[in-house]
Amino acid sequence: MYPLVYIVRHGQTAWNAEFRLQGQADTDINALGREQASANGHRLADLISNPAEFDFVASPMRRTRETMERIRAAMKLDPAAYGTDPRLVEVNFGDWQGFTFAELETQFPGASRTRALDKWNFQPPGKDAESYQMLLERVKPWFDALERQTVCVTHGGVMRTLFRFVLDMAEDDAAKLAIPQDRVLKLEGDRLGWL
């Protein structure tokens, strides 16, 4: 059973807007992403009456750190007073990072179709590339070890794994799940839902 955890995806980046695979490429949030981060911070300020009872942890990537800092600023907290954990970084897309699917199809015809056959377990080519299942195995121990209420800023792939291991969502459904950047996901006990 999990303690209360509020999970937020980083704000939009230029690559998100272009439907470009980011993975572990270290990109920055854009103007809309900054607005989304601040709005989620205001939402969390309304939800959390005593922030001292919460840990604040982000993926160490620039887009998640800026999102967390804007969230904390909106909550009237020290923007820099939070931790990071490398297990919360996005799934590694290997050689596909930086490409749109249209660009991949030009260079590697059939790549999208191959991935679509089993999106959850598909591992892109390249050093350190991961499938969603591999990501789940990296991320789940972090969530399983949580003892305090927590605010977590992470990535879409990480949040998809939550639906798989908390709700036992089918692999195909979890892999295709849309993960908004302007909402907060609440995990508590064995319940998971958008606010």
Side-chain angles (χ1 to χ4, degrees):
M1 300 293 273
Y2 296 98
L4 173 60
V5 187
Y6 293 116
I7 306 115
V8 177
R9 185 180 177 192
H10 62 81
Q12 187 188 75
T13 69
W15 282 22
N16 287 142
E18 297 166 3
F19 301 99
R20 197 169 292 282
L21 292 169
Q22 284 177 117
Q24 294 181 9
D26 209 3
T27 56
D28 294 302
I29 60 176
N30 60 19
L32 175 58
R34 290 190 284 277
E35 290 174 16
Q36 291 167 332
S38 295
N40 279 328
H42 292 300
R43 186 171 293 120
L44 287 166
D46 291 339
L47 292 166
I48 297 172
S49 57
N50 189 356
E53 295 176 353
F54 281 73
D55 288 335
F56 288 76
V57 185
S59 155
M61 306 198 83
R62 290 197 313 259
R63 60 191 183 268
T64 41
R65 285 188 286 115
E66 183 176 353
T67 299
M68 176 64 90
E69 287 159 19
R70 288 182 174 277
I71 284 171
R72 288 184 58 83
M75 296 177 73
K76 301 191 180 352
L77 302 171
D78 176 357
Y82 66 94
T84 62
D85 194 299
R87 290 173 291 181
L88 295 173
V89 299
E90 180 61 292
V91 66
N92 190 323
F93 282 113
D95 293 346
W96 287 14
Q97 285 175 178
F99 290 91
T100 65
F101 277 105
E103 291 167 347
L104 280 174
E105 280 302 312
T106 300
Q107 287 200 10
F108 310 103
S112 299
R113 188 173 58 254
T114 302
R115 180 175 185 247
L117 292 174
D118 185 3
K119 188 175 177 182
W120 186 262
N121 294 293
F122 178 80
Q123 186 177 352
K127 185 178 183 302
D128 300 323
E130 297 173 296
S131 66
Y132 281 122
Q133 181 59 37
M134 294 164 72
L135 175 64
L136 182 151
E137 290 163 13
R138 165 162 54 85
V139 168
K140 189 175 185 297
W142 185 84
F143 281 95
D144 287 347
L146 289 176
E147 295 179 353
R148 279 174 45 92
Q149 298 179 112
T150 302
V151 172
C152 169
V153 178
T154 188
H155 306 268
V158 171
M159 294 169 83
R160 288 182 184 98
T161 69
L162 280 167
F163 284 88
R164 177 82 182 114
F165 70 77
V166 174
L167 300 183
D168 198 27
M169 182 178 281
E171 291 177 352
D172 194 50
D173 293 338
K176 293 176 180 174
L177 201 58
I179 305 292
Q181 291 167 301
D182 60 353
R183 293 183 70 186
V184 174
L185 184 63
K186 179 182 177 182
L187 168 65
E188 188 171 21
D190 59 358
R191 297 183 307 280
L192 185 68
W194 293 104
L195 302 177

